[in-house]
Amino acid sequence: MRAEPSAVDELLAPEFHEIGQSGTHWTRQEILSVVTSDDAGDAAPVIDEEKAEIVAPGVVLLTYRLEFGGGVSRRSSIWRIRPEGPLMVFHQGTLAH
């Protein structure tokens, strides 16, 4: 997905923001400007412990564990579910040990 900025653009809500695992706050525009960078090489990500919870009508909290680029993190995102398709409103990554 990172190699297709237009696909990422369609999934991010206008008010999207992210707190990265380094603690950096990212805006939607900042994410879109770096979305094609791939500094983790050719390693395939491993995702497990996926969980989706409905937290309000039309709002889902997605959490999962990610192994990628030699590191492990826990991820969470908030999605707005609409008839036109889902939009990610917020994302956070936290280093895991």
Side-chain angles (χ1 to χ4, degrees):
M1 184 133 235
R2 290 176 62 92
E4 297 182 41
S6 63
V8 176
D9 184 41
E10 291 178 15
L11 287 176
L12 300 183
E15 69 276 20
F16 173 83
H17 62 109
E18 175 176 331
I19 300 172
Q21 63 187 26
S22 67
T24 302
H25 183 259
W26 298 83
T27 65
R28 181 182 195 279
Q29 194 56 44
E30 289 168 332
I31 289 296
L32 290 174
S33 70
V34 299
V35 77
T36 57
S37 70
D38 186 5
D39 54 6
D42 294 329
V46 175
I47 296 173
D48 59 16
E49 300 181 21
E50 304 103 326
K51 184 176 179 184
E53 297 178 69
I54 297 172
V55 295
V59 180
V60 173
L61 170 63
L62 176 65
T63 58
Y64 57 96
R65 182 179 167 276
L66 174 71
E67 290 184 46
F68 188 62
V72 177
S73 60
R74 297 212 176 263
R75 304 288 174 128
S76 61
S77 55
I78 298 174
W79 292 81
R80 183 179 310 126
I81 307 304
R82 317 165 304 147
E84 308 88 351
L87 284 178
M88 187 186 305
V89 176
F90 174 77
H91 182 78
Q92 181 167 355
T94 303
L95 287 176
H97 304 282

